Amino acid sequence: QVQLVESGGGLVQAGGSLRLSCVASGRPVSRYTMGWFRQAPGKEREFVATINWRAAIWIDSRTYYADSVKGRFTISRDNAKNTLYLQMNSLKPEDTAVYHCAAGPTTAGTTASDYDYWGQGTQVTVSS
């Protein structure tokens, strides 16, 4: 199994930036599709971004983003450090949520139920 621990959340003003990290242990992140999801109070868990590999050796990863964050957020991973990142720029108050990283099979997409392993989350609060 995979253990995931997020960090990097905090309190920022609208327009600011944060970089979230998710350190994995147990298995290398390169073996999984990795994703970021967020959940605000009273709302369902929402897809943010995912990074995965094509089902062919030596083909680079693909990234996908929710429309609400496209152009502002960037998902990446460092396989050597077994770490997933989410760079968040131009933050808006509506980005306020607990952000979770997740690991799933190569077929995992934008649905939370696709993923098998979850971190405990890190709080991101954006003030207006």
Side-chain angles (χ1 to χ4, degrees):
Q1 62 180 31
V2 178
Q3 293 77 232
L4 306 172
V5 180
E6 304 96 333
S7 62
L11 198 65
V12 298
Q13 191 174 1
S17 298
L18 284 173
R19 189 192 193 196
L20 306 184
S21 299
C22 173
V23 178
S25 61
R27 298 282 182 85
V29 296
S30 61
R31 297 291 186 180
Y32 295 88
T33 292
M34 303 295 295
W36 287 99
F37 291 77
R38 65 189 183 186
Q39 188 164 23
K43 299 183 67 176
E44 293 185 338
R45 189 162 294 185
E46 176 188 32
F47 168 75
V48 176
T50 187
I51 183 167
N52 58 41
W53 294 94
R54 298 178 185 178
I57 194 168
W58 306 123
I59 295 177
D60 287 346
S61 63
R62 290 176 168 176
T63 58
Y64 300 92
Y65 298 91
D67 289 342
S68 59
V69 306
K70 194 173 298 182
R72 300 187 297 121
F73 291 10
T74 302
I75 187 171
S76 63
R77 62 186 174 192
D78 186 332
N79 290 334
K81 296 181 178 180
N82 216 31
T83 301
L84 178 75
Y85 301 99
L86 184 68
Q87 178 66 47
M88 305 185 295
N89 301 135
S90 302
L91 283 163
K92 305 174 181 179
E94 50 263 46
D95 295 319
T96 296
V98 175
Y99 284 71
H100 299 264
C101 66
T106 57
T107 54
T110 62
T111 302
S113 61
D114 290 344
Y115 294 80
D116 300 312
Y117 305 102
W118 293 84
Q120 80 288 346
T122 185
Q123 176 71 47
V124 172
T125 303
V126 185
S127 64
S128 59

